[in-house]
């Protein structure tokens, strides 16, 4: 038994950014198996080898330990649901997703970013997992971006990049929802109350511009997750709103801290800010903040997976 704390070690391993795959196989009786795995690694081009590490705890461990063929499906952005199904769902996982058999009968998931059909090349015992090495016999790559995973959370490069960088062909504005002790910072403008916001220069990021703005006003912030990203089509302006916390009690020349419970009494300058703050107050109660991506009229709320 190692003297290292397994929980700490798991978390330390988890700080490595990975993609997400679903590994599938079929046994001689035609039963299908699949599990979500981020232990995928490409190994060799000639011969074409890859590996993935099934754990002994898997209900499908025996199937993978003895399989002659398997498929690694690299999940695309937006396929968090599929990752969750193949990590936790206890019923027939394949009834929940689109798939089709490859020529060996192994399920290939619909809309995966990339898949690799493999013959089992070698299985190496490795502690509480095995290393399942496959020789790639066939593969297909789409242009979709892969889904990311780090420290127990899924992330999407597209969304993160949009949140971090200004849009090239329109004006960009970054706003911030600054929370401090149950209050939100609002500014009084001639058009109504407003969240603090700054215009982004083409060669600067939203986060850096916001951080500079608040530092200059002697109010250092800790910026958090993006909360809303939308284009206002009539004005051609792209808005990125980011959550933030004030790091300490500082003098405040930037606006007024308003109790969250009282926000509905403040007439906001825009519809977008009104609905954003209503959602913020609601989601704050549950502790699960989503990310709105859309335009001034409609869009989707993406949930950040809060696995620990
Ligand atoms: C992002 C992610 C990556 C995972 N990577 C692996 C892995 O590499 N190897 C593994 O054995 N389990 C991994 N798991 C856990 C399995 O997917 C999960 O334990 C399994 O699907 C449970 O299946 P079962 O109910 O059939 O035992 C991962 C889970 C997630 C969410």
């Amino acid at each position: 038994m190692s003297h290292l704390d397994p929980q700490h070690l798991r978390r330390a391993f988890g700080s490595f950014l990975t993609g997400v795959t679903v590994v599938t196989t079929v046994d001689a009786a035609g039963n299908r198996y699949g599990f979500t795995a981020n232990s995928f690694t490409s190994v060799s081009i000639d011969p074409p080898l890859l590996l993935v590490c099934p754990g002994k705890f898997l209900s499908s461990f025996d199937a993978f330990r003895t399989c002659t063929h398997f498929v690694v499906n690299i999940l695309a952005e937006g396929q968090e649901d599929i990752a969750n199904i193949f990590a936790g769902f206890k019923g027939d996982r394949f009834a929940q997703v689109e798939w089709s058999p490859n020529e060996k009968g192994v399920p290939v998931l619909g809309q995966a970013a990339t898949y690799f059909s493999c013959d089992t090349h070698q299985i190496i015992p490795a502690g509480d997992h095995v290393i399942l090495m496959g020789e790639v016999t066939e593969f297909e790559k789409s242009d979709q971006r892969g889904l990311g995973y780090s420290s127990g959370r899924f992330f999407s490069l597209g969304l993160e990049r949009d949140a971090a960088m200004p849009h090239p062909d329109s004006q960009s504005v970054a706003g911030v929802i600054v929370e401090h002790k149950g209050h939100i910072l609002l500014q009084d403008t001639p058009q109504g109350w407003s969240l603090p916001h700054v215009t982004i220069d083409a060669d600067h990021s939203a986060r850096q511009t916001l951080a500079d703005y608040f530092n200059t006003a002697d109010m250092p912030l800790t910026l958090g997750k993006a909360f809303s990203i939308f284009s206002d089509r009539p004005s051609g302006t792209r808005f990125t709103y980011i959550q933030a916390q004030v790091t300490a009690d500082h003098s405040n020349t930037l606006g007024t801290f308003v109790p969250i419970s009282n926000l509905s009494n403040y007439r906001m300058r825009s519809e977008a800010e009104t609905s954003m703050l209503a959602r913020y107050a609601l989601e704050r109660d549950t502790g699960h903040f989503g990310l709105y991506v859309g335009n001034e009229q409609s869009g989707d709320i993406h949930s950040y997976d809060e696995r620990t």
Side-chain angles (χ1 to χ4, degrees), residues 86-271:
F86 281 90
F89 185 70
K90 295 298 171 204
D92 179 0
R93 295 175 174 178
F94 294 95
Q96 309 287 314
V97 298
E98 275 178 46
W99 63 274
S100 55
N102 70 3
E103 60 175 17
K104 303 283 173 32
V106 184
V108 172
L109 300 189
Q111 282 120 42
T114 296
Y115 75 85
F116 301 99
S117 293
C118 299
D119 290 346
T120 301
H121 176 74
Q122 203 182 347
I123 296 183
I124 304 164
D128 50 18
H129 285 60
V130 294
I131 300 172
L132 169 60
M133 205 178 291
E135 174 154 0
V136 180
T137 53
E138 185 231 341
F139 68 98
E140 199 170 302
K141 179 191 173 302
S142 75
D143 288 334
Q144 296 183 81
R145 264 193 299 251
L147 176 63
Y149 193 72
S150 176
S151 295
R153 290 182 187 193
F154 298 113
F155 66 88
S156 296
L157 271 184
L159 295 179
E160 297 286 319
R161 193 155 40 207
D162 281 357
M165 293 302 292
H167 203 243
D169 53 12
S170 63
Q171 192 198 2
S172 253
V173 169
V176 67
I177 304 178
V178 186
E179 182 170 342
H180 187 49
K181 296 183 175 166
H183 291 58
I184 298 278
L185 183 63
L186 296 185
Q187 296 176 330
D188 199 2
T189 76
Q191 294 81 34
W193 290 90
S194 168
L195 289 162
H197 56 274
V198 288
T199 302
I200 313 292
D201 292 339
D203 51 350
H204 287 83
S205 79
R207 285 177 185 274
Q208 193 54 53
T209 310
L210 280 172
D212 291 348
Y213 173 71
F214 279 88
N215 279 336
T216 307
D218 199 21
M219 194 173 165
L221 286 180
T222 305
L223 289 165
K225 294 174 184 168
F227 186 71
S228 187
I229 302 170
F230 61 94
S231 301
D232 181 55
R233 291 171 297 182
S235 66
T237 307
R238 183 179 183 76
F239 289 91
T240 303
Y241 281 89
I242 296 173
Q243 289 172 239
Q245 305 270 344
V246 183
T247 42
D249 283 313
H250 284 277
S251 65
N252 169 25
T253 51
L254 291 179
T256 309
F257 275 102
V258 170
I260 293 175
S261 53
N262 202 17
L263 278 174
S264 54
N265 292 332
Y266 287 75
R267 193 181 60 78
M268 300 302 293
R269 188 184 55 151
S270 69
E271 279 286 322

Side-chain angles (χ1 to χ4, degrees), residues 45-60:
I45 298 291
D46 188 15
L49 300 177
L50 56 73
L51 69 78
V52 66
C53 302
K56 292 184 175 167
F57 51 84
L58 295 175
S59 67
S60 54

Side-chain angles (χ1 to χ4, degrees), residues 264-298:
S264 54
N265 292 332
Y266 287 75
R267 193 181 60 78
M268 300 302 293
R269 188 184 55 151
S270 69
E271 279 286 322
E273 284 168 292
T274 307
S275 57
M276 216 183 317
L277 285 177
R279 179 166 73 86
Y280 185 88
L282 266 180
E283 294 185 349
R284 190 177 174 277
D285 286 342
T286 65
H288 288 278
F289 290 106
L291 169 62
Y292 174 93
V293 181
N295 58 41
E296 77 286 356
Q297 279 175 348
S298 63

